[in-house]
Amino acid sequence: MKKLLLLFLLVPCIGFCQNQDAVFIKKMSDDILINGKAYEWLHHLTKKIGNRLTASSPFYKAIDWGKATLQVAGADNVILQECTIPHWVRGNNDEVAVTYFNSKNQNIQLHAIALGNSLAGKVKAAVICLNNFEELEKRKNEIKGKIVFFNYAFNQTYVETSTAYGDAGKYRYTGASRAAKYGAVGCLVRSLSGSTDNLPHTGAMKYNDSFPKIPAVALGLQDADKLCKMCSNNKVVVAMNTHGKFLKDTTAYNVIGELKGNENADELITIGGHLDSWDVGEGAHDDGAGIVQTMEVLRVLKAMNYHPKHTIRFVLFANEENGLRGGVKYADEAIAKKEKHLFALETDGGGFSPRGFSFKMSDEQLKKVQSWLSLLQPYGTHKLEAGGGGADIGPLAGDILKTPIAELLPDSQRYFDIHHTNNDVFETVNRRELLLGAVNMAALIYLIDKYGL
Amino acid sequence: MKKLLLLFLLVPCIGFCQNQDAVFIKKMSDDILINGKAYEWLHHLTKKIGNRLTASSPFYKAIDWGKATLQVAGADNVILQECTIPHWVRGNNDEVAVTYFNSKNQNIQLHAIALGNSLAGKVKAAVICLNNFEELEKRKNEIKGKIVFFNYAFNQTYVETSTAYGDAGKYRYTGASRAAKYGAVGCLVRSLSGSTDNLPHTGAMKYNDSFPKIPAVALGLQDADKLCKMCSNNKVVVAMNTHGKFLKDTTAYNVIGELKGNENADELITIGGHLDSWDVGEGAHDDGAGIVQTMEVLRVLKAMNYHPKHTIRFVLFANEENGLRGGVKYADEAIAKKEKHLFALETDGGGFSPRGFSFKMSDEQLKKVQSWLSLLQPYGTHKLEAGGGGADIGPLAGDILKTPIAELLPDSQRYFDIHHTNNDVFETVNRRELLLGAVNMAALIYLIDKYGL
C-alpha cells in the first residue's frame, strides 16, 4: 500500500520534474545560442595565440589566457595544477623533406610531415610499399636497408570516421618500430584521413626502445597514391630528412576552474578538453572547440544563476596530443587526495553538430542517462550509447577511481579531413554547431548534477 | 489455425527479411562511399557549368549535362519534359548599389543584392527601420516616400535553422508590397541567415499587383545591424539602384531518367532535386547536391543490379527558385495522363550529414516507414517524422493525386550561412556528407519499392 502511494506521488513528480528540466534546458539553450561566447573565445585562442604544441611558447600563453577566461566565465576559483610535460620539437619545419627520384633522376617533393615524437634522420633508400602489417611479416626479409611505406587506407565504408581512425591508427603509432625491427631505415605512413586533398596529417607515434629510432613521416593522400603506384611499377628511391628531437622535460599546468557545490561539495563532476594542440594549423577543432565549449558550460550555468549540488570542475588539460601527462596528473592527484569523482565528460571530437554522447559506466547508470533522452533530443542528441570517454579523463576511469566517464559525439564526417593539419583553423568551425555542442554538454551536466548517477 | 500458421511462417520471415535488407543496404552504402560519383558530378556541375538561374545560358547547359549524366548513371531512358518558364534577369549586377550617406554626406556602400523577381528602380530616400510587420502597421502613417528596412532577425533560438528561415521568410517574400501599400518607395530586407559574415542573400520575392512595384534588396547581416543602429540615432538617407526585369516566358525542361519496374511498371516512385539555382555562387548545396544525390541513387541501384518492382523516376526539376514551373508541370502531366504515383522524395536542404526524413503521408503509412528505423539508423538517420516534402513534389501531393511525399533532412546548421550567396560553392560540400545523404535516400527508395506504402 505504501509502495502504491509512493508511486502515486512519484508519477506526477516525474512528469512535472521532466517539464521543469525541459524548461531549464531550453533557457540554457536560448542563452547559449544568443549570448554564447565560445565562438569569440575560439577566435582569440586560434587567431591571437595559434597552435599550441605542449611546451611551446604559445602553449604557455594559452595557459594564461585559459586561466583569465575561466575567471571571466564565472569560476569561483581557478587553480593551476602543475605537471611535468615532454618537450618535443619538430626542428626546422621547412627542412622536413621527402622526395623521390623519377626516371630522369629528378628530385620530386612529396607533401609530407614528420610524425609527432619522431626523431631526426637523413636517409635515402629504396621504398617498399606495404598495405598492412600482414604484408610486413610476409616480406620481412625484403625490408633491410629500405624505407617502408605503410599505405593502409582509411576505411571509407565505416560510417563513423572515428572507427576508420581507430582502425588505421596503429600504422602511425607503431609502424616505424615494427619496420625498424626488420632493418628498415625510414618509415612513411599514409595520413590517417579520408579527405580529398593532399595535406599530410601529423599525430603521435611511439618508438619501441628495442629497435633503431628511424625517421617517421606521414604523406598526403594523393602523394601516397602516387608513390604506391610508382612502387608497383619501378624501383623507387626516396630521400627523407627530419629534425625532430626531445628537449628536457619541463613544467606546465592543467588549468582548473571550479564552481563550488552547495550540497555535496566534496563530490566532483569534471568537464574538459585539452589546451595543447599539434604545431600545425590553429588547433581549432582539436581541441580549441572542446576548450571553449567547456568554458561556455560554465558561463551559462552562472548566467542561469545555477548553484550546483556537486562541485563542478572545468578543466583545460595539458599535453593530450603527445604524452597525456595532464590527464594522468589529474587522476594521480585525485587518487592521492582521495577525491570522490561522480562523473567526468570530455569533448575532443571537433566542434561539429552534436549527435549525442558515448559513456563508459555501469549498465544501470547508462540506463538512467538514457531515460533523459527526450530532454536532450531537441538539441540534436540521438545517441546515448556505451563505449567512450576521452583520453584525458581515461585515467579517472581506471581501477582505483572507476569514475563513470563520457565524451561528446559530434558529427564525425568532416573531422579527419582537417585533423592534425594546417587546415584545422577557425574558419572551419561553425558558430552554431560549436554552441549546440555546449548546449548538450550543459544539459547533461545539469541532469547529472541534479539526479546523480 | 490458418492464421496461426501464417504467423509462424511470417515471424522468421520478418527477422530474415530485415536481415536481408540490412545486408543489401550495407552493400549499397559501401559501394556509394567507395565508388560514388556524386562528388565528381557536383564538381562538374559547379565548376564547369556554374550557377544556373532559370532561363540563363548555363541553365540550358545543365539540362544537357543532366540528360547525359542520367544516361551514364544507368537510366533505361531519359525524357525531356517541356515546360514554360519565367525569364527574370538581375540586370547589371555590378550596378546594384545600396549606399547610405553619413554625417559628412559621404556615400557608403552596403553589402546588398537585389531579391529575385524584383524590378528595376532608382530611389533615394530616408530609411525607416522596422523589426516586423506589427511595427509597419503601427507606423503606417510614417511610411510614405521612405525606404522601409525590415530588420527582422533570424531567430537563433530555433535549433533547426529551417524553422528560423520559415519564420523570417515572409519579410523577403512579401515585404516590398506590404511597404508599398503605405507609400514606401524602396524596400530593404535583412538577409535570411544567422551567419557571422556580411554576405547578402538573394531569394524569391513576389509583388502584389495592387501596389507599386518598388525595388527590393537584401542586406548583409553586419550592414543590416549597422544601418539599424544609425537609423535609431539619426535620419539616414539611402540610395538604391536596381536593374531587375522580366523578359518573355520561355521554354525549358524537367529532365527525367527512368528505371523501369518489373512488376508494377505503371506505378511510379519519384526522386529528385532542382537543377536551377540563383545567379550567385555555384548552387552547390542548393540544389546541386540534391541533383547529384538523385543520380547517385540511380547509379547504385544499377551497380547492385537491382530490378525495381515499380518504375523509379529520377527527376531534375526546372525552375524551383523563382517559379516552381517544373514541379507544377510534372504534377499537371501526371494528372492529365492519370499516372499512379506511389511516392515522391525530394532533397533540397543541402548536401550535409543526413539526419533522416520528413514525410507528408497518412499516419498508417508513416508508421510503416518508422518500422524501418533500425535499417536506416546505421547511416545517420534518427528522424522519421511527419511534416515535410519538397517544393517541387508539393504539387504531386495536392488534392487530386494525393501522393505521399518526403524530403531528406540533412543537418541544418550550416545551410543558411551560405544559402543563395556567393559562398554556396563546391568547396563547402563534404564528399562523405554528400554521399551519406545518397545512402539514406537509396535505402528509403529500396524499402518503399520493395514493401510499398
Side-chain angles (χ1 to χ4, degrees):
Chain A
M1 190 64 190
K2 260 189 185 164
K3 268 189 186 168
L4 202 66
L5 188 68
L6 196 68
L7 194 70
F8 275 115
L9 286 168
L10 270 175
V11 168
C13 169
I14 289 172
F16 176 72
C17 295
Q18 282 246 346
N19 186 46
Q20 242 190 348
D21 293 333
V23 169
F24 186 78
I25 293 170
K26 176 72 168 84
K27 223 173 125 189
M28 288 202 290
S29 174
D30 288 356
D31 189 73
I32 289 175
L33 290 172
I34 293 174
N35 304 316
K37 291 280 174 283
Y39 192 67
E40 288 77 359
W41 285 332
L42 186 63
H43 187 266
H44 185 98
L45 180 61
T46 53
K47 297 298 177 190
K48 305 284 177 188
I49 298 175
N51 65 52
R52 313 168 288 284
L53 182 62
T54 293
S56 68
S57 149
F59 176 64
Y60 289 101
K61 267 191 217 162
I63 290 174
D64 292 342
W65 167 86
K67 188 180 173 196
T69 311
L70 281 168
Q71 277 158 345
V72 166
D76 293 331
N77 61 316
V78 182
I79 305 153
L80 293 182
Q81 183 180 60
E82 189 174 313
C83 60
T84 304
I85 51 167
H87 193 174
W88 178 79
V89 290
R90 186 179 298 283
N92 189 340
N93 226 337
D94 297 337
E95 285 182 19
V96 171
V98 178
T99 57
Y100 73 91
F101 298 86
N102 67 10
S103 54
K104 292 172 187 156
N105 208 31
Q106 287 163 327
N107 195 335
I108 313 286
Q109 178 82 32
L110 295 169
H111 287 73
I113 189 166
L115 294 181
N117 300 334
S118 72
L119 298 178
K122 189 172 180 177
V123 295
K124 183 174 169 183
V127 175
I128 180 165
C129 178
L130 303 172
N131 288 310
N132 49 49
F133 287 144
E134 290 68 43
E135 285 191 18
L136 174 75
E137 296 305 321
K138 268 191 211 153
R139 301 179 64 182
K140 61 188 176 192
N141 297 328
E142 302 170 47
I143 305 299
K144 196 167 173 167
K146 292 202 180 118
I147 292 171
V148 166
F149 168 32
F150 289 112
N151 193 32
Y152 186 81
F154 212 67
N155 190 333
Q156 294 281 10
T157 69
Y158 292 124
V159 172
E160 295 305 329
T161 59
S162 48
T163 313
Y165 183 71
D167 172 55
K170 54 188 174 290
Y171 293 93
R172 187 189 76 197
Y173 201 67
T174 69
S177 286
R178 290 187 65 158
K181 181 181 172 189
Y182 298 125
V185 296
C187 180
L188 301 172
V189 184
R190 184 184 180 88
S191 285
L192 301 186
S193 176
S195 84
T196 55
D197 62 37
N198 200 17
L199 269 189
H201 298 234
T202 189
M205 61 83 63
K206 197 170 167 29
Y207 290 116
N208 178 333
D209 288 336
S210 309
F211 307 109
K213 292 175 177 172
I214 62 177
V217 160
L219 294 182
L221 303 189
Q222 292 167 13
D223 280 355
D225 287 337
K226 190 163 84 174
L227 187 63
C228 177
K229 206 172 155 191
M230 287 190 307
C231 289
S232 66
N233 297 333
N234 307 295
K235 192 179 152 186
V236 177
V237 171
V238 158
M240 295 173 67
N241 190 11
T242 66
H243 310 270
K245 62 180 166 181
F246 278 95
L247 307 179
K248 237 176 49 179
D249 277 6
T250 180
T251 297
Y253 308 92
N254 293 321
V255 188
I256 305 172
E258 279 191 342
L259 211 52
K260 284 281 177 205
N262 65 3
E263 281 184 26
N264 309 90
D266 63 337
E267 234 178 316
L268 301 165
I269 293 173
T270 296
I271 169 170
H274 64 86
L275 194 54
D276 64 307
S277 76
W278 284 108
D279 55 342
V280 289
E282 297 167 355
H285 280 286
D286 187 11
D287 183 26
I291 290 297
V292 297
Q293 285 173 325
T294 296
M295 292 168 161
E296 185 68 40
V297 175
L298 168 57
R299 189 203 63 78
V300 79
L301 291 176
K302 289 295 283 190
M304 297 295 106
N305 200 22
Y306 180 74
H307 299 287
K309 291 181 181 178
H310 309 84
T311 293
I312 306 179
R313 285 208 192 138
F314 303 84
V315 185
L316 322 183
F317 288 98
N319 182 230
E320 191 268 350
E321 293 294 5
N322 68 332
L324 211 67
R325 301 277 186 92
V328 169
K329 173 68 181 184
Y330 187 75
D332 283 352
E333 200 149 310
I335 293 164
K337 291 184 175 170
K338 298 202 165 101
E339 290 172 355
K340 282 190 253 174
H341 284 261
L342 174 65
F343 175 66
L345 171 65
E346 183 158 0
T347 167
D348 185 19
F352 299 97
S353 221
R355 285 184 166 265
F357 298 92
S358 177
F359 299 87
K360 191 174 172 185
M361 52 175 51
S362 74
D363 292 351
E364 207 179 334
Q365 289 169 325
L366 183 57
K367 226 169 137 181
K368 185 168 182 176
V369 169
Q370 286 169 338
S371 75
W372 302 326
L373 179 62
S374 66
L375 290 165
L376 299 168
Q377 254 171 343
Y379 309 98
T381 281
H382 58 100
K383 294 180 188 177
L384 293 172
E385 61 189 31
D392 291 303
I393 57 175
L396 277 186
D399 281 347
I400 300 173
L401 292 173
K402 292 180 180 146
T403 307
I405 61 173
E407 64 183 324
L408 180 70
L409 296 177
D411 193 283
S412 76
Q413 299 311 317
R414 291 174 183 244
Y415 190 47
F416 293 102
D417 286 359
I418 52 140
H419 184 248
H420 298 179
T421 74
N422 277 324
N423 273 357
D424 185 6
V425 294
F426 178 76
E427 289 74 8
T428 63
V429 179
N430 176 277
R431 179 180 176 273
R432 286 181 57 88
E433 291 185 356
L434 181 76
L435 293 174
L436 273 176
V439 168
N440 284 274
M441 290 161 66
L444 181 67
I445 292 295
Y446 160 77
L447 290 167
I448 287 178
D449 179 57
K450 184 164 174 188
Y451 297 110
L453 271 179
Chain B
M1 190 63 191
K2 260 188 184 165
K3 269 188 185 167
L4 202 67
L5 189 67
L6 195 68
L7 194 71
F8 274 115
L9 286 168
L10 270 176
V11 167
C13 170
I14 289 172
F16 175 72
C17 294
Q18 282 245 346
N19 186 45
Q20 240 190 351
D21 293 334
V23 169
F24 185 78
I25 292 170
K26 176 75 167 82
K27 223 174 125 189
M28 287 202 291
S29 174
D30 288 357
D31 188 73
I32 289 174
L33 290 171
I34 293 175
N35 304 316
K37 291 281 173 285
Y39 192 67
E40 288 77 359
W41 285 332
L42 186 64
H43 188 266
H44 184 98
L45 180 61
T46 53
K47 296 299 179 193
K48 305 284 177 187
I49 297 176
N51 64 53
R52 312 166 290 284
L53 182 62
T54 293
S56 68
S57 148
F59 176 64
Y60 288 101
K61 266 191 217 162
I63 289 174
D64 292 343
W65 167 85
K67 187 181 173 193
T69 311
L70 281 168
Q71 277 158 345
V72 167
D76 294 330
N77 62 314
V78 182
I79 304 153
L80 293 183
Q81 183 180 62
E82 188 175 313
C83 60
T84 304
I85 50 166
H87 193 175
W88 178 79
V89 290
R90 186 179 298 284
N92 189 338
N93 228 335
D94 296 337
E95 286 181 17
V96 172
V98 178
T99 56
Y100 73 92
F101 298 87
N102 68 8
S103 55
K104 292 173 189 154
N105 208 30
Q106 287 165 327
N107 194 336
I108 314 286
Q109 178 82 32
L110 295 170
H111 288 71
I113 189 166
L115 294 181
N117 302 335
S118 71
L119 298 178
K122 188 171 181 177
V123 294
K124 184 175 170 182
V127 174
I128 180 166
C129 178
L130 303 172
N131 288 310
N132 50 50
F133 287 144
E134 291 69 42
E135 284 191 20
L136 174 74
E137 296 305 322
K138 269 191 209 153
R139 300 179 66 183
K140 61 186 175 191
N141 297 328
E142 302 170 47
I143 304 301
K144 198 170 169 159
K146 291 198 180 123
I147 291 170
V148 166
F149 168 31
F150 290 112
N151 192 32
Y152 185 82
F154 213 67
N155 190 331
Q156 293 280 10
T157 69
Y158 291 123
V159 171
E160 295 305 328
T161 59
S162 46
T163 314
Y165 182 71
D167 172 54
K170 54 188 174 289
Y171 293 94
R172 187 190 76 199
Y173 201 66
T174 68
S177 286
R178 291 187 65 157
K181 180 181 172 188
Y182 299 125
V185 297
C187 180
L188 301 171
V189 184
R190 184 184 179 89
S191 285
L192 300 187
S193 175
S195 84
T196 56
D197 63 37
N198 200 18
L199 269 190
H201 298 234
T202 190
M205 61 85 62
K206 195 169 167 34
Y207 289 116
N208 178 332
D209 288 336
S210 308
F211 308 110
K213 292 174 177 174
I214 63 177
V217 160
L219 295 181
L221 302 189
Q222 293 168 12
D223 280 355
D225 287 338
K226 191 164 84 174
L227 187 63
C228 176
K229 206 172 157 192
M230 287 190 307
C231 288
S232 65
N233 298 331
N234 309 294
K235 190 179 151 185
V236 178
V237 171
V238 159
M240 295 172 69
N241 190 10
T242 66
H243 310 270
K245 63 179 167 183
F246 278 96
L247 306 180
K248 238 177 48 181
D249 277 7
T250 179
T251 297
Y253 307 92
N254 292 322
V255 188
I256 306 172
E258 280 192 340
L259 212 53
K260 284 281 178 207
N262 65 5
E263 281 185 27
N264 308 91
D266 63 338
E267 236 179 316
L268 302 165
I269 293 173
T270 296
I271 170 170
H274 64 86
L275 194 54
D276 64 308
S277 77
W278 283 108
D279 55 341
V280 290
E282 295 167 356
H285 280 286
D286 187 12
D287 183 24
I291 291 297
V292 297
Q293 285 173 326
T294 296
M295 291 167 163
E296 185 68 39
V297 174
L298 168 57
R299 188 202 66 76
V300 80
L301 291 176
K302 290 295 283 190
M304 296 295 106
N305 200 23
Y306 180 73
H307 299 286
K309 291 181 181 178
H310 309 84
T311 293
I312 306 180
R313 286 210 192 135
F314 303 85
V315 185
L316 323 183
F317 287 98
N319 182 231
E320 192 269 349
E321 294 293 5
N322 67 332
L324 211 66
R325 302 276 185 91
V328 169
K329 173 69 181 182
Y330 187 74
D332 283 352
E333 200 149 310
I335 293 165
K337 292 184 175 169
K338 298 199 164 100
E339 291 172 357
K340 282 189 256 175
H341 283 262
L342 174 64
F343 175 67
L345 171 64
E346 184 157 358
T347 165
D348 184 20
F352 299 98
S353 222
R355 284 183 167 266
F357 298 92
S358 178
F359 298 87
K360 192 175 170 185
M361 52 175 50
S362 73
D363 290 353
E364 207 180 332
Q365 288 169 327
L366 183 56
K367 226 168 136 182
K368 184 167 183 179
V369 169
Q370 286 169 337
S371 75
W372 303 326
L373 179 62
S374 68
L375 290 165
L376 299 168
Q377 255 173 342
Y379 309 97
T381 281
H382 59 100
K383 293 179 189 178
L384 294 172
E385 62 190 30
D392 290 304
I393 56 174
L396 277 184
D399 282 346
I400 299 171
L401 293 173
K402 292 179 178 145
T403 308
I405 61 172
E407 64 183 324
L408 180 71
L409 295 177
D411 194 284
S412 77
Q413 300 310 316
R414 289 172 184 244
Y415 190 47
F416 293 103
D417 286 0
I418 51 139
H419 184 248
H420 298 179
T421 73
N422 277 323
N423 272 356
D424 184 6
V425 294
F426 178 76
E427 289 74 9
T428 63
V429 179
N430 176 277
R431 178 180 176 275
R432 286 182 55 89
E433 292 185 356
L434 181 75
L435 293 175
L436 273 176
V439 168
N440 284 271
M441 290 162 66
L444 181 66
I445 292 294
Y446 160 77
L447 290 167
I448 287 178
D449 178 58
K450 184 164 174 188
Y451 297 110
L453 271 179

